[in-house]
């Protein structure tokens, strides 16, 4: 592992710390960070450009080889989280700006960090990458439509304006990243190692901009919104897993779908909120960005440890048939998980 890879890994592993630090500083001295608001859209564009540089044709081959898992993941992503967001907004009678903010982050595609979490959880990483890629490319069409359908009850939603925004900050940068990869492959290969650091810095700055712009509202209802975000995220993991179980997916696939559904592209949520509704609406996305980078590793660690125990049990045969018993026990655990 070279120096850039080590730095990138460190940035990814400590992401939640940097987000928390940025949020704390923005709360303490908001006047030092409000100027960042004008750069939120280009910052997210940089993240999406980096994603485009890492996308490969192999990421989409799984759609043809195993379409069932991919389509289950895509539909779960765009049904469970938006649906949960709408129900939470109704159940807790959220103010219009915060209700739309919760719905907005729920309607976003999966976040790229979900791929890393699925790998750490010993889930189906290839499935996770494919679902993330597909939902991200579908986002310009699906995300504005869902926001218009679910959030119009609270605030006016301009579908075409939002569609244009998502195309500008998601689709165009990804296409440019793919073009860069095609024409400058050797340079891109070297640059990929630093992308985790660039992504972390960009998202941290976005969070700082959002927090500084809505400091008073966060102080007023921060703990309440934090609880809503934690509930939204946790229910996303749960219902994502149960969806995989309902459709008879393997244990590894269920883990991938669960993490894909629970972890959102909160950077996109914050960008859309700031562009179309204001800083207060971006608060749920900012909190989500911090929280899912804590809950994701916790869940991944649990599943990884469980997988290791199952592998150890499966390998403890003693020549008297106990190996088969261990294998059966492992299969039973997978079915009952």
């Amino acid at each position: 592992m070279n120096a850039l890879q080590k730095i990138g890994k460190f940035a990814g592993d400590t992401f939640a710390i940097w987000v928390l630090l940025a949020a704390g500083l923005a709360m303490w001295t908001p006047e030092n960070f409000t100027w960042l608001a004008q750069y939120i859209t280009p910052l997210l564009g940089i993240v999406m450009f980096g994603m485009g540089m890492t996308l490969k044709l192999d990421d989409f081959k799984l759609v043809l080889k195993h379409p069932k898992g991919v389509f289950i993941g895509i539909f779960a992503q765009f049904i469970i989280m938006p649906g949960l967001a709408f129900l939470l907004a109704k159940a807790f009678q959220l103010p219009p700006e915060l209700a739309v903010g919760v719905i907005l982050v729920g309607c976003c595609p999966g976040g790229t960090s979900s791929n890393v979490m699925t790998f750490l959880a010993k889930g189906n990483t290839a499935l996770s990458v494919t679902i993330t890629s597909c939902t991200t490319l579908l986002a310009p069409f699906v995300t504005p439509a869902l926001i218009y359908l679910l959030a119009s009850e609270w605030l006016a939603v301009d579908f075409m304006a939002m569609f244009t925004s998502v195309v500008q900050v998601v689709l165009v940068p990804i296409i440019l990243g793919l073009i860069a990869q095609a024409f400058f492959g050797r340079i891109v290969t070297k640059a990929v190692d630093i992308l985790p650091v660039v992504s972390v810095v960009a998202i941290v700055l976005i969070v700082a901009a959002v927090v500084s712009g809505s400091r008073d509202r966060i102080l007023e209802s921060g703990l309440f919104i934090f609880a809503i975000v934690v509930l939204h995220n946790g229910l996303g993991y749960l219902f994502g897993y149960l969806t995989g179980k309902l459709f008879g997916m393997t244990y590894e696939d269920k883990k991938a779908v669960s993490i894909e559904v629970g972890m959102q592209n909160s950077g996109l949520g914050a960008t859309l909120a700031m562009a179309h509704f204001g800083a207060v609406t971006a608060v749920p996305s900012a909190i989500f960005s911090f929280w899912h980078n804590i809950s994701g590793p916790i869940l991944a660690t649990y599943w990884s440890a469980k997988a290791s125990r199952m592998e150890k049990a499966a390998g403890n045969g003693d020549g008297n048939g106990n190996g088969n018993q261990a294998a059966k026990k492992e299969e039973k655990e997978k079915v009952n998980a």
Side-chain angles (χ1 to χ4, degrees), residues 94-102 154-155 217 277-278 280-284:
L94 297 180
E97 296 91 345
L98 294 176
V100 172
V102 172
W154 285 275
L155 293 175
R217 194 59 181 270
F277 303 105
V280 174
T281 306
V283 170

Side-chain angles (χ1 to χ4, degrees), residues 14-90:
T14 57
F15 181 57
I17 296 174
W18 299 117
V19 171
L20 181 60
L21 180 62
L25 289 172
M27 288 285 287
W28 185 30
T29 57
E31 64 278 4
N32 292 325
F33 297 93
T34 51
W35 61 274
L36 287 169
Q38 60 187 314
Y39 299 109
I40 287 179
T41 297
L43 283 169
L44 183 64
I46 291 171
V47 175
M48 292 295 102
F49 177 73
M51 181 180 180
M53 290 199 297
T54 60
L55 283 179
K56 297 179 177 61
L57 185 60
D58 289 345
D59 295 338
F60 300 94
K61 287 182 178 179
L62 206 63
V63 178
L64 300 176
K65 293 182 179 178
H66 304 286
K68 176 185 173 182
V70 176
F71 284 114
I72 289 173
I74 292 172
F75 281 103
Q77 175 68 58
F78 284 128
I79 291 175
I80 292 174
M81 290 303 273
L84 286 172
F86 180 81
L87 292 175
L88 288 170
K90 282 283 193 180

Side-chain angles (χ1 to χ4, degrees), residues 6 31 43 56 59 81 106 115 159 168 176 191 201 203 205-206 212 237 241 276 279 330 336:
K6 289 180 180 178
E31 64 278 4
L43 283 169
K56 297 179 177 61
D59 295 338
M81 290 303 273
N115 308 149
F159 172 82
Q168 289 174 345
L176 291 175
V201 170
I203 297 299
L205 292 177
I206 290 173
S212 65
Y237 291 137
Y241 187 89
H276 298 278
E330 176 189 8
N336 292 331

